[in-house]
Amino acid sequence: MDTTQEPATSAINQPRDGSGIRGLYCTANHTQVRVEGYDEALIRKALADSTGVLWLDVYVDGPEDGRVLSEVFNFHPLAIEDAVEPRIDPPKIDDHGEYVFIVLNALTRYEPGTELETAEADFFLGSNYVVSVHREQIPALDFYFDRAQRDETILLHRADWVLHGILDAIVDEYLPIVDAVDETIDKIEERLLDQPDRSLLQQILLSKRNSLRLRRATAPQREILNRLARGEFPKVIAADTSIYFRDVYDHLVRIEYLVEAVRDLADGALQTYLSVVSNRLNEVMKVLTAAATIFLPLTLVSGVYGMNFDQNQFPPFDSSWGFPAVVAGMIALAVSMLMFFKVRRWL
């Protein structure tokens, strides 16, 4: 079995026009049939063919778009509700006996300076079918569907192997996005020492939120992949396919380590920003304090000579050189204090 995955970014992912159903059905004689729309007869025929494999992809734009889930597949109402409702559910896996229901969070797109977007992807895995349900366009799903159309050998395997390929494509989509978030934080750190302005703080906080979203998406999905890999669902996942889910699990574990590193980088960038701002504030306060200290004795001298008393009793008011001498003394005092600060490296 060839499990090599192409980069998801290489797929031709054209937006799908509204809601709809698409699918691929591989018959017992290895003929691949394309399912277009709600073709109930063809879908029921594929389900009845225990030797064939059906992958049905349902794009939900409203509650009525999930009719095929209840009318043809007879899935549990709670699972259908989770799949078609607009809210984003946390990742989970439910065992319904003849099939398992899986909820995952997929990444859709990321642009530096924007919040990371996630989308819910739901999967029903039976003995001879995989049903994927989503309410947003998911590039990884489009990529793997496009690949399955070009490579007809993908659906020659069992349904559990097809699901493994889909999940692998979704997990692989995390890596370039994690790298992009990491690169964004690196660029922020390069600017920290030169321009620690308020806009940079907003970018740091945004990166922290994105890293937290990555953490919330990867952590629970690791347990789901672990359960799929350890043979917990023998009715729908064969023992020889478990190793492929284990491979996807290993990929997700490595990605989670990278996500933790990105979180640490974001925290470090915030601490660096606060340190730089604090150091700059300390430099400003040091200069202002030195200036105030220098002018303090000068203010004292000018205040003393500005007192209201008999000037004849207070030299050098009665002398022509008195005013220049006092000014020169004040300048000398200021210069002396400034030189003292320089020697002590206080400035």
Side-chain angles (χ1 to χ4, degrees):
M1 297 180 184
D2 181 15
T3 59
T4 304
Q5 293 289 336
E6 303 173 17
T9 53
S10 67
I12 303 176
N13 298 320
Q14 298 296 334
R16 297 171 64 178
D17 297 330
S19 59
I21 297 176
R22 63 179 177 178
L24 296 174
Y25 164 44
C26 183
T27 63
N29 58 1
H30 299 170
T31 300
Q32 183 166 290
V33 179
R34 175 73 185 260
V35 180
E36 294 286 356
Y38 188 5
D39 190 342
E40 183 175 351
L42 179 57
I43 296 174
R44 289 188 181 276
K45 176 183 177 182
L47 290 178
D49 184 5
S50 59
T51 58
V53 173
L54 170 67
W55 175 16
L56 198 67
D57 184 50
V58 182
Y59 187 99
V60 178
D61 192 37
E64 67 281 357
D65 297 318
R67 289 188 303 115
V68 64
L69 305 178
S70 57
E71 295 177 356
V72 178
F73 290 91
N74 296 317
F75 291 138
H76 196 281
L78 292 178
I80 297 176
E81 179 184 357
D82 289 339
V84 302
E85 287 298 318
R87 66 177 183 274
I88 296 181
D89 298 303
K92 68 173 183 177
I93 182 169
D94 294 330
D95 186 1
H96 292 274
E98 298 301 322
Y99 64 92
V100 294
F101 174 59
I102 304 170
V103 178
L104 294 181
N105 291 149
L107 300 181
T108 54
R109 57 185 178 274
Y110 169 74
E111 294 292 339
T114 62
E115 288 196 15
L116 188 64
E117 297 185 10
T118 59
E120 180 181 332
D122 305 291
F123 300 94
F124 297 87
L125 173 64
S127 59
N128 65 333
Y129 64 85
V130 177
V131 179
S132 56
V133 185
H134 52 102
R135 296 178 295 275
E136 298 180 38
Q137 183 189 6
I138 299 178
L141 276 176
D142 292 338
F143 153 72
Y144 201 72
F145 192 87
D146 180 66
R147 180 183 174 186
Q149 290 184 101
R150 291 183 283 105
D151 184 3
E152 296 184 355
T153 61
I154 290 179
L155 265 70
L156 295 181
H157 306 288
R158 294 186 300 269
D160 54 358
W161 198 91
V162 176
L163 177 65
H164 138 263
I166 299 172
L167 299 187
D168 196 17
I170 291 177
V171 171
D172 286 346
E173 191 73 10
Y174 274 73
L175 188 57
I177 293 181
V178 172
D179 290 340
V181 176
D182 189 3
E183 184 178 355
T184 299
I185 298 176
D186 288 341
K187 292 180 180 179
I188 291 175
E189 289 180 332
E190 292 175 359
R191 295 174 50 196
L192 272 176
L193 299 179
D194 298 329
Q195 301 174 342
D197 52 22
R198 196 169 187 83
S199 63
L200 203 59
L201 175 61
Q202 295 176 351
Q203 296 180 35
I204 294 174
L205 296 178
L206 178 61
S207 298
K208 282 179 62 66
R209 288 198 299 271
N210 286 337
S211 63
L212 181 59
R213 288 193 175 190
L214 287 171
R215 179 69 176 84
R216 289 176 175 174
T218 56
Q221 292 180 166
R222 182 185 62 179
E223 177 60 24
I224 292 176
L225 267 300
N226 187 30
R227 294 182 63 185
L228 292 173
R230 65 191 182 197
E232 191 173 331
F233 311 99
K235 286 188 176 182
V236 293
I237 298 179
D240 57 347
T241 311
S242 298
I243 188 172
Y244 294 101
F245 284 102
R246 192 174 301 118
D247 180 68
V248 181
Y249 169 79
D250 292 338
H251 291 175
L252 191 59
V253 169
R254 288 195 292 269
I255 290 174
E256 188 177 9
Y257 288 151
L258 295 177
V259 170
E260 291 295 335
V262 168
R263 288 186 63 194
D264 292 340
L265 286 175
D267 290 336
L270 179 59
Q271 295 302 321
T272 302
Y273 173 85
L274 296 177
S275 298
V276 170
V277 171
S278 178
N279 288 337
R280 288 202 170 190
L281 179 60
N282 289 339
E283 290 293 331
V284 172
M285 293 303 299
K286 183 169 63 175
V287 173
L288 294 178
T289 302
T293 303
I294 292 173
F295 280 94
L296 183 63
L298 307 184
T299 304
L300 176 63
V301 172
S302 63
V304 169
Y305 277 90
M307 295 174 62
N308 189 15
F309 54 82
D310 189 356
Q311 296 181 355
N312 294 328
Q313 298 178 0
F314 194 74
F317 279 108
D318 55 352
S319 172
S320 60
W321 52 266
F323 178 74
V326 172
V327 173
M330 296 172 65
I331 295 175
L333 179 60
V335 172
S336 300
M337 295 182 67
L338 184 61
M339 294 300 296
F340 177 75
F341 291 158
K342 287 289 187 180
V343 171
R344 297 299 298 269
R345 294 182 179 179
W346 292 349
L347 282 177

